[in-house]
Amino acid sequence: MAGTVTIELADGRRLEGHAENGMLEPGELEDKFRRLTRRALGEPCAAALFDRLQRLEDEPDLSWLGAQP
């Protein structure tokens, strides 16, 4: 199952990636997330964001994500 993901950042930049198979082996999610985000965020921020997203259900609200209504 192939898929394309496009992320538009607040500053207007667009990041796009395409995958032929969306299935990841155990442990691959963090590596993939960091590879795809470190260019825009820097390695320390990408790692911190991944860690925070892993605990998303514990967040009192999601305003820190910067989602626009």
Side-chain angles (χ1 to χ4, degrees):
M1 175 185 283
T4 299
V5 175
T6 303
I7 300 171
E8 185 168 344
L9 303 176
D11 65 6
R13 290 181 294 156
R14 293 172 58 96
L15 306 174
E16 184 171 295
H18 182 79
E20 291 301 320
N21 179 353
M23 304 304 289
L24 297 174
E25 296 295 323
E28 289 182 317
L29 181 60
E30 181 175 9
D31 178 61
K32 184 173 184 176
F33 180 87
R34 290 171 72 165
R35 281 188 290 111
L36 293 172
T37 58
R38 69 178 166 222
R39 188 173 75 182
L41 303 176
E43 185 66 34
C45 289
L49 179 58
F50 179 83
D51 290 341
R52 191 166 183 183
L53 289 171
Q54 293 305 295
R55 298 182 307 278
L56 197 60
E57 65 275 358
D58 298 332
E59 294 286 338
D61 69 70
L62 300 179
S63 62
W64 59 272
L65 286 172
Q68 303 285 322

